[in-house]
Amino acid sequence: MVSRLERNWQYAEQYPTETDAQVRARRLSLELGIEPVSRAVAAQLSGLAVMSGARAICEIGTGVGVSGLALLRHVPEATLTSIEIESEHLRQARAAFAGAGIAAARLRLIEGDAAQVLPRLNLGAYDLVLIDAEPERLLEYLEHALTIVRAGGTVVIPGAFSRGRVTDPAARDEATHVLRDLLATVAESAAIVPVLTPAGDGLLTLTRLDG
């Protein structure tokens, strides 16, 4: 029997509409075996970009452009710096952005390891940073992300429940441990405001405070 909370979650996941370009990118992502953010998470990314007045956005993990299209959907003046280690994924993402009519001048697509690219980005230069990466490297990426996001800006981490394992006491794998440690650490931090929502597989937003 489906509980009321499960029905609410299912409704929220099915509620958002997406552009044709987003639908195509999502379909391609699944065909290539890349797990994209859910529709509800994509909608929240679009909303966060608008609410934060984002003009400079950074994304770790381009995939084939599902998240990037969501981030840029309602902020026509914003630019996106997106880092992806797989050249074929980046090629497909470039085509997805072009198909959506997003000007190349708004995009900075970087092929490479985020751990090597992030230290070269300007400090405090971004309004919004998305980290869509393997859990084992989240802490490393988050440390860099909190230096490149401006005070008052937000770092977003989808997949915070690690396919539901974080909330399962029996789950003891490394990825789950990393996410539990991350959630515990940010909950106690005086430098950021953490918000965890059940959208998708868990969406964690961390807003950096002044100072």
Side-chain angles (χ1 to χ4, degrees), residues 142-143 145-147 149-155 157 182-195 204-211:
L142 178 58
E143 288 181 3
L146 289 173
T147 67
V149 74
R150 64 170 173 80
T154 299
V155 178
I157 303 175
L182 172 64
L183 289 168
T185 299
V186 299
E188 297 171 355
S189 174
I192 51 182
V193 178
V195 178
L204 178 64
T205 62
L206 307 169
T207 300
R208 180 185 158 196
L209 298 172
D210 285 314

Side-chain angles (χ1 to χ4, degrees), residues 25-170:
R26 184 176 296 283
R27 185 180 302 120
L28 176 60
S29 183
L30 293 171
E31 289 173 357
L32 294 175
I34 307 168
E35 185 175 357
V37 297
S38 74
R39 285 166 55 184
V41 170
Q44 290 203 31
L45 295 178
S46 298
L48 283 168
V50 173
M51 288 185 286
S52 65
R55 290 295 177 265
I57 302 170
C58 181
E59 174 185 42
I60 302 166
T62 314
V64 296
V66 175
S67 299
L69 289 169
L71 288 164
L72 294 177
R73 181 175 181 181
H74 299 298
V75 284
E77 302 302 318
T79 60
L80 174 67
T81 296
S82 191
I83 306 165
E84 172 60 54
I85 199 166
E86 297 289 344
S87 59
E88 177 60 18
H89 296 173
L90 207 59
R91 186 183 72 80
Q92 296 286 358
R94 189 172 282 107
F97 289 126
I102 296 172
R106 297 179 61 199
L107 301 167
R108 183 186 179 195
L109 304 181
I110 303 173
E111 181 182 343
D113 185 337
Q116 299 176 11
V117 176
L118 289 168
R120 303 202 300 265
L121 301 182
N122 292 334
L123 302 181
Y126 295 92
D127 305 298
L128 188 61
V129 179
L130 172 67
I131 306 176
D132 191 1
E134 59 274 27
E136 292 81 2
R137 304 191 73 180
L138 278 179
L139 288 174
E140 177 185 9
Y141 292 158
L142 178 58
E143 288 181 3
H144 289 299
L146 289 173
T147 67
I148 65 172
V149 74
R150 64 170 173 80
T154 299
V155 178
V156 189
I157 303 175
F161 291 155
S162 188
R163 295 180 175 86
R165 292 192 295 271
V166 166
T167 56
D168 179 4

